[in-house]
Amino acid sequence: MEILLCNGYDEISEKAAAILADTVKENPAAVLGMATGSTPEGMYKRLIERYEAGTLDFSAVETFNLDEYYPLAAENEQSYHYYMNEKLFKHINVKPERIHILNGEAKDADAECKAYSNAIAAAGGIDLQILGIGENGHIGFNEPGEYLHADVHKTALTESTVNANARFFATRDEVPRYALTVGIGDILRAKKILLLASGKAKANAIRALLDDRITTSLPASLLKTHPNVVLICDRAAFGEE
Ligand code: GLP
């Protein structure tokens, strides 16, 4: 795993945006795996700036988001549909038909997951996967547990994740208890992975990620089996502050 140690959040955002922009410049039809949460927001801002400056064109890219709460309507301001539209998609020229996000309102969650897997395969797989990391080491919504899932699936959120994400909702009770998420196999099939981590709250997860063990109790540790992962983190997440 390559580590880019940054002096703060802005540097993380700039480095991540530069790598994503280079990927799209090299391959205008790149398939991008998108992440939500606070961490990638700065990267998205910088991508919008590049688009507005005319140096980046998203017209041929295809995007697949990692996950979505379940059940939750796309119009709900806490949905990842809403987030992606507000933070990135409505500001750039990505084609709506090339945007894929799991449907948090699907009646048949299993069928939705299967269709999503098929769509990723039909696109030829993910070229660049952006990831944040949960305080408990989750990636996407692949939560720590006795076992992990390889494929797109419905999952229950852990108490730790419900608590961590409650800050975005009016009350803790409003946090959906389930999510649809791509699996660890889907993530590991990406050609390249960028893992972003900022702040002290992530230091335990990053410390555990950087020792030699691989365990389902730290889903991000599976990334150590992938040949092309770049961890972009600040000193606080690295445990130096
Ligand atoms: C959320 C998302 C993850 C995200 C993580 C960290 O629950 N499902 O994809 O990476 O938590 O979020 P944040 O960047 O806000 O710390």
mmCIF file of all heavy atoms in Angstrom, residues 35-40 66-67 69 80 131-135 138-141 161 165 167-168 202, ligand 1:
data_model
loop_
_atom_site.group_PDB
_atom_site.id
_atom_site.type_symbol
_atom_site.label_atom_id
_atom_site.label_comp_id
_atom_site.label_asym_id
_atom_site.label_seq_id
_atom_site.Cartn_x
_atom_site.Cartn_y
_atom_site.Cartn_z
ATOM 1 N N ALA A 35 -17.614 7.552 -3.348
ATOM 2 C CA ALA A 35 -17.885 7.368 -1.923
ATOM 3 C C ALA A 35 -18.576 8.611 -1.372
ATOM 4 O O ALA A 35 -18.475 9.696 -1.944
ATOM 5 C CB ALA A 35 -16.574 7.137 -1.180
ATOM 6 N N THR A 36 -19.260 8.429 -0.255
ATOM 7 C CA THR A 36 -19.913 9.561 0.404
ATOM 8 C C THR A 36 -19.261 9.777 1.774
ATOM 9 O O THR A 36 -18.161 9.308 2.011
ATOM 10 C CB THR A 36 -21.424 9.288 0.527
ATOM 11 O OG1 THR A 36 -21.585 7.987 1.092
ATOM 12 C CG2 THR A 36 -22.096 9.342 -0.827
ATOM 13 N N GLY A 37 -19.933 10.495 2.655
ATOM 14 C CA GLY A 37 -19.333 10.831 3.948
ATOM 15 C C GLY A 37 -18.667 12.190 3.858
ATOM 16 O O GLY A 37 -18.585 12.789 2.772
ATOM 17 N N SER A 38 -18.176 12.687 4.992
ATOM 18 C CA SER A 38 -17.552 14.016 4.990
ATOM 19 C C SER A 38 -16.218 14.009 4.258
ATOM 20 O O SER A 38 -15.826 15.016 3.664
ATOM 21 C CB SER A 38 -17.263 14.499 6.413
ATOM 22 O OG SER A 38 -18.126 13.933 7.329
ATOM 23 N N THR A 39 -15.518 12.898 4.317
ATOM 24 C CA THR A 39 -14.123 12.887 3.851
ATOM 25 C C THR A 39 -13.948 13.270 2.379
ATOM 26 O O THR A 39 -13.075 14.094 2.077
ATOM 27 C CB THR A 39 -13.476 11.522 4.150
ATOM 28 O OG1 THR A 39 -13.796 11.167 5.498
ATOM 29 C CG2 THR A 39 -11.974 11.577 3.974
ATOM 30 N N PRO A 40 -14.738 12.732 1.436
ATOM 31 C CA PRO A 40 -14.465 13.090 0.034
ATOM 32 C C PRO A 40 -15.009 14.451 -0.403
ATOM 33 O O PRO A 40 -14.797 14.846 -1.552
ATOM 34 C CB PRO A 40 -15.153 11.967 -0.767
ATOM 35 C CG PRO A 40 -15.995 11.211 0.171
ATOM 36 C CD PRO A 40 -15.777 11.700 1.555
ATOM 37 N N LEU A 66 -20.797 3.481 -3.811
ATOM 38 C CA LEU A 66 -20.554 2.320 -2.960
ATOM 39 C C LEU A 66 -21.814 1.783 -2.305
ATOM 40 O O LEU A 66 -21.967 0.572 -2.158
ATOM 41 C CB LEU A 66 -19.635 2.735 -1.802
ATOM 42 C CG LEU A 66 -18.154 2.843 -2.033
ATOM 43 C CD1 LEU A 66 -17.515 3.505 -0.811
ATOM 44 C CD2 LEU A 66 -17.560 1.452 -2.242
ATOM 45 N N ASP A 67 -22.663 2.702 -1.823
ATOM 46 C CA ASP A 67 -23.693 2.236 -0.901
ATOM 47 C C ASP A 67 -24.836 3.238 -0.804
ATOM 48 O O ASP A 67 -24.744 4.368 -1.308
ATOM 49 C CB ASP A 67 -23.083 1.988 0.495
ATOM 50 C CG ASP A 67 -22.200 3.138 0.973
ATOM 51 O OD1 ASP A 67 -22.264 4.226 0.390
ATOM 52 O OD2 ASP A 67 -21.451 2.939 1.939
ATOM 53 N N TYR A 69 -28.290 4.035 2.142
ATOM 54 C CA TYR A 69 -29.093 3.593 3.282
ATOM 55 C C TYR A 69 -30.324 2.859 2.783
ATOM 56 O O TYR A 69 -30.829 3.130 1.689
ATOM 57 C CB TYR A 69 -29.568 4.800 4.095
ATOM 58 C CG TYR A 69 -28.493 5.503 4.868
ATOM 59 C CD1 TYR A 69 -28.069 6.776 4.489
ATOM 60 C CD2 TYR A 69 -27.923 4.920 5.995
ATOM 61 C CE1 TYR A 69 -27.104 7.456 5.209
ATOM 62 C CE2 TYR A 69 -26.954 5.596 6.728
ATOM 63 C CZ TYR A 69 -26.550 6.864 6.328
ATOM 64 O OH TYR A 69 -25.592 7.530 7.048
ATOM 65 N N TYR A 80 -27.668 9.093 0.081
ATOM 66 C CA TYR A 80 -26.439 9.275 -0.680
ATOM 67 C C TYR A 80 -26.747 9.723 -2.110
ATOM 68 O O TYR A 80 -25.896 10.334 -2.768
ATOM 69 C CB TYR A 80 -25.590 8.002 -0.630
ATOM 70 C CG TYR A 80 -25.013 7.734 0.755
ATOM 71 C CD1 TYR A 80 -24.533 6.480 1.107
ATOM 72 C CD2 TYR A 80 -24.926 8.747 1.709
ATOM 73 C CE1 TYR A 80 -23.999 6.241 2.370
ATOM 74 C CE2 TYR A 80 -24.394 8.516 2.970
ATOM 75 C CZ TYR A 80 -23.934 7.261 3.299
ATOM 76 O OH TYR A 80 -23.397 7.037 4.540
ATOM 77 N N LEU A 131 -12.552 5.533 -1.579
ATOM 78 C CA LEU A 131 -13.077 4.991 -0.321
ATOM 79 C C LEU A 131 -12.796 5.943 0.827
ATOM 80 O O LEU A 131 -11.705 6.530 0.901
ATOM 81 C CB LEU A 131 -12.376 3.676 0.048
ATOM 82 C CG LEU A 131 -12.629 2.408 -0.752
ATOM 83 C CD1 LEU A 131 -11.784 1.283 -0.157
ATOM 84 C CD2 LEU A 131 -14.105 2.040 -0.742
ATOM 85 N N GLY A 132 -13.766 6.070 1.742
ATOM 86 C CA GLY A 132 -13.478 6.598 3.066
ATOM 87 C C GLY A 132 -13.342 5.396 3.979
ATOM 88 O O GLY A 132 -13.348 4.248 3.526
ATOM 89 N N ILE A 133 -13.238 5.646 5.256
ATOM 90 C CA ILE A 133 -13.158 4.524 6.202
ATOM 91 C C ILE A 133 -13.980 4.880 7.436
ATOM 92 O O ILE A 133 -13.942 6.016 7.915
ATOM 93 C CB ILE A 133 -11.682 4.194 6.552
ATOM 94 C CG1 ILE A 133 -11.585 2.955 7.448
ATOM 95 C CG2 ILE A 133 -10.969 5.392 7.168
ATOM 96 C CD1 ILE A 133 -10.149 2.416 7.594
ATOM 97 N N GLY A 134 -14.749 3.913 7.919
ATOM 98 C CA GLY A 134 -15.513 4.142 9.146
ATOM 99 C C GLY A 134 -14.589 4.095 10.354
ATOM 100 O O GLY A 134 -13.487 3.526 10.288
ATOM 101 N N GLU A 135 -15.032 4.670 11.449
ATOM 102 C CA GLU A 135 -14.209 4.628 12.675
ATOM 103 C C GLU A 135 -13.947 3.188 13.095
ATOM 104 O O GLU A 135 -12.943 2.883 13.736
ATOM 105 C CB GLU A 135 -14.917 5.392 13.800
ATOM 106 C CG GLU A 135 -14.939 6.884 13.542
ATOM 107 C CD GLU A 135 -15.772 7.658 14.560
ATOM 108 O OE1 GLU A 135 -15.982 7.159 15.686
ATOM 109 O OE2 GLU A 135 -16.212 8.770 14.216
ATOM 110 N N HIS A 138 -14.929 0.078 8.734
ATOM 111 C CA HIS A 138 -15.768 -0.366 7.609
ATOM 112 C C HIS A 138 -15.394 0.381 6.329
ATOM 113 O O HIS A 138 -14.884 1.490 6.368
ATOM 114 C CB HIS A 138 -17.267 -0.262 7.938
ATOM 115 C CG HIS A 138 -17.861 1.110 7.928
ATOM 116 N ND1 HIS A 138 -18.754 1.536 8.876
ATOM 117 C CD2 HIS A 138 -17.727 2.153 7.075
ATOM 118 C CE1 HIS A 138 -19.142 2.762 8.596
ATOM 119 N NE2 HIS A 138 -18.529 3.163 7.517
ATOM 120 N N ILE A 139 -15.626 -0.277 5.218
ATOM 121 C CA ILE A 139 -15.482 0.377 3.914
ATOM 122 C C ILE A 139 -16.784 0.139 3.151
ATOM 123 O O ILE A 139 -17.329 -0.957 3.175
ATOM 124 C CB ILE A 139 -14.247 -0.106 3.116
ATOM 125 C CG1 ILE A 139 -14.104 -1.622 3.114
ATOM 126 C CG2 ILE A 139 -12.988 0.546 3.661
ATOM 127 C CD1 ILE A 139 -12.915 -2.143 2.292
ATOM 128 N N GLY A 140 -17.287 1.190 2.478
ATOM 129 C CA GLY A 140 -18.671 1.155 2.017
ATOM 130 C C GLY A 140 -19.497 0.967 3.273
ATOM 131 O O GLY A 140 -19.280 1.637 4.284
ATOM 132 N N PHE A 141 -20.421 0.026 3.250
ATOM 133 C CA PHE A 141 -21.087 -0.361 4.503
ATOM 134 C C PHE A 141 -20.761 -1.816 4.826
ATOM 135 O O PHE A 141 -21.589 -2.551 5.339
ATOM 136 C CB PHE A 141 -22.595 -0.122 4.425
ATOM 137 C CG PHE A 141 -23.013 1.245 4.895
ATOM 138 C CD1 PHE A 141 -23.864 2.026 4.133
ATOM 139 C CD2 PHE A 141 -22.578 1.753 6.117
ATOM 140 C CE1 PHE A 141 -24.274 3.288 4.563
ATOM 141 C CE2 PHE A 141 -22.976 3.014 6.550
ATOM 142 C CZ PHE A 141 -23.824 3.779 5.776
ATOM 143 N N THR A 161 -21.672 2.487 13.764
ATOM 144 C CA THR A 161 -21.932 3.271 12.550
ATOM 145 C C THR A 161 -23.185 4.124 12.717
ATOM 146 O O THR A 161 -23.211 5.288 12.292
ATOM 147 C CB THR A 161 -22.048 2.323 11.339
ATOM 148 O OG1 THR A 161 -20.785 1.674 11.180
ATOM 149 C CG2 THR A 161 -22.397 3.072 10.069
ATOM 150 N N ASN A 165 -22.979 8.126 12.355
ATOM 151 C CA ASN A 165 -23.708 8.810 11.285
ATOM 152 C C ASN A 165 -24.912 9.588 11.790
ATOM 153 O O ASN A 165 -25.530 10.331 11.025
ATOM 154 C CB ASN A 165 -24.130 7.800 10.208
ATOM 155 C CG ASN A 165 -22.919 7.277 9.435
ATOM 156 O OD1 ASN A 165 -21.785 7.562 9.816
ATOM 157 N ND2 ASN A 165 -23.142 6.546 8.384
ATOM 158 N N ARG A 167 -24.991 12.128 13.433
ATOM 159 C CA ARG A 167 -24.761 13.577 13.353
ATOM 160 C C ARG A 167 -25.412 14.201 12.117
ATOM 161 O O ARG A 167 -25.684 15.382 12.090
ATOM 162 C CB ARG A 167 -23.265 13.895 13.409
ATOM 163 C CG ARG A 167 -22.478 13.459 12.182
ATOM 164 C CD ARG A 167 -20.968 13.654 12.426
ATOM 165 N NE ARG A 167 -20.161 13.576 11.225
ATOM 166 C CZ ARG A 167 -19.704 12.443 10.705
ATOM 167 N NH1 ARG A 167 -20.006 11.282 11.276
ATOM 168 N NH2 ARG A 167 -18.952 12.463 9.621
ATOM 169 N N PHE A 168 -25.657 13.386 11.104
ATOM 170 C CA PHE A 168 -26.257 13.915 9.877
ATOM 171 C C PHE A 168 -27.783 13.955 9.954
ATOM 172 O O PHE A 168 -28.433 14.571 9.121
ATOM 173 C CB PHE A 168 -25.859 13.060 8.670
ATOM 174 C CG PHE A 168 -24.377 13.065 8.405
ATOM 175 C CD1 PHE A 168 -23.616 11.914 8.564
ATOM 176 C CD2 PHE A 168 -23.734 14.229 8.007
ATOM 177 C CE1 PHE A 168 -22.251 11.915 8.312
ATOM 178 C CE2 PHE A 168 -22.373 14.248 7.758
ATOM 179 C CZ PHE A 168 -21.628 13.082 7.915
ATOM 180 N N LYS A 202 -10.159 8.625 13.094
ATOM 181 C CA LYS A 202 -9.824 7.497 12.221
ATOM 182 C C LYS A 202 -8.503 6.833 12.597
ATOM 183 O O LYS A 202 -8.099 5.845 11.976
ATOM 184 C CB LYS A 202 -9.766 7.960 10.745
ATOM 185 C CG LYS A 202 -11.028 8.639 10.245
ATOM 186 C CD LYS A 202 -12.201 7.676 10.243
ATOM 187 C CE LYS A 202 -13.535 8.359 10.011
ATOM 188 N NZ LYS A 202 -13.705 8.899 8.678
HETATM 189 C C1 GLP B 1 -20.146 6.089 6.065
HETATM 190 C C2 GLP B 1 -20.097 5.521 4.632
HETATM 191 C C3 GLP B 1 -18.706 5.176 4.216
HETATM 192 C C4 GLP B 1 -17.792 6.306 4.656
HETATM 193 C C5 GLP B 1 -17.681 6.305 6.152
HETATM 194 C C6 GLP B 1 -16.861 7.442 6.724
HETATM 195 O O1 GLP B 1 -20.918 5.362 6.926
HETATM 196 N N1 GLP B 1 -20.932 4.391 4.387
HETATM 197 O O2 GLP B 1 -18.666 4.957 2.820
HETATM 198 O O3 GLP B 1 -16.528 6.123 4.119
HETATM 199 O O4 GLP B 1 -18.939 6.213 6.775
HETATM 200 O O5 GLP B 1 -17.552 8.640 6.718
HETATM 201 P P1 GLP B 1 -16.873 10.048 7.005
HETATM 202 O O6 GLP B 1 -16.046 10.352 5.806
HETATM 203 O O7 GLP B 1 -18.031 11.003 7.157
HETATM 204 O O8 GLP B 1 -16.071 9.891 8.231
#
